[in-house]
Amino acid sequence: VREVLQPGWEQIAPYGGTSVLTDFKGIDDNETDPLDPPDTNATVGPNHVIEATNVAFSIYDKSGNRLSLTQFSDFFSPVVTNTFFSDPIVQYDQLADRYIILVLDIDFTNELSYLDFAVSDTNDPTQGFSEMHRIEVGEFSVGLNQPTLGDYPKLGMNADAYVVTLN
């Protein structure tokens, strides 16, 4: 491997050189509305872990103690009503020292899809997420066998912006 590396690059960890520091049970289907697949996603910051499924997210300390479990319908209630949630993304932004929560929000009644986006107030996600946005991403048709909607969101970031892509 060392012969392939560019001059000045160092090998970070040899193959097989990593280990699990801790593991713990995450969100259980019985605690939330079970959807299959649950589309799990997680992120780790300086002191917390956030795990998300299609309908809820949970905040843990790094020892695995659950600090909260919140349904997306409750969390995004300031900007959203009566919708279906899917494909959550949780990410820690090292540059801003904040957590981001992003979830696809589908309004079947009005045949519209949205992205719900929240940024934590501090690097402690238990202190709240007062910045929330609901971004319309388009119409879709329920009449088709497969709804045509923005799906499978991905989140990227740099010092200037958050960038979201959809299928």
Side-chain angles (χ1 to χ4, degrees):
V1 171
R2 289 197 185 274
E3 292 81 31
V4 180
L5 296 174
Q6 295 290 329
W9 288 18
E10 296 178 26
Q11 187 174 357
I12 294 172
Y15 293 107
T18 59
S19 62
V20 175
L21 299 177
T22 186
D23 65 331
F24 51 88
K25 187 178 187 316
I27 298 172
D28 190 310
D29 276 352
N30 296 326
E31 297 175 300
T32 63
D33 250 352
L35 291 174
D36 287 324
D39 293 337
T40 57
N41 189 265
T43 191
V44 178
N47 299 305
H48 297 88
V49 176
I50 300 179
E51 177 200 16
T53 64
N54 275 323
V55 296
F57 70 95
S58 195
I59 300 173
Y60 305 87
D61 64 22
K62 283 194 169 178
S63 297
N65 300 303
R66 179 180 285 163
L67 306 175
S68 69
L69 173 65
T70 307
Q71 300 285 328
F72 282 124
S73 57
D74 295 332
F75 180 71
F76 281 110
S77 65
V79 294
V80 175
T81 58
N82 301 320
T83 61
F84 173 86
F85 297 98
S86 179
D87 296 341
I89 301 291
V90 291
Q91 211 163 324
Y92 175 71
D93 178 353
Q94 289 182 306
L95 296 173
D97 198 24
R98 301 284 187 269
Y99 290 86
I100 291 93
I101 296 178
L102 172 76
V103 65
L104 186 63
D105 162 3
I106 304 167
D107 179 347
F108 286 104
T109 303
N110 297 307
E111 296 185 346
L112 292 169
S113 60
Y114 302 86
L115 284 172
D116 300 332
F117 188 87
V119 179
S120 66
D121 297 333
T122 70
N123 67 357
D124 180 351
T126 65
Q127 297 302 305
F129 289 74
S130 59
E131 183 176 337
M132 290 189 182
H133 304 277
R134 187 181 202 204
I135 305 161
E136 186 176 323
V137 293
E139 298 178 6
F140 67 93
S141 174
V142 177
L144 300 175
N145 289 338
Q146 208 52 312
T148 55
L149 54 89
D151 195 16
Y152 202 59
K154 295 297 172 211
L155 174 64
M157 62 188 72
N158 64 23
D160 300 320
Y162 295 119
V163 179
V164 179
T165 63
L166 299 156
N167 280 350

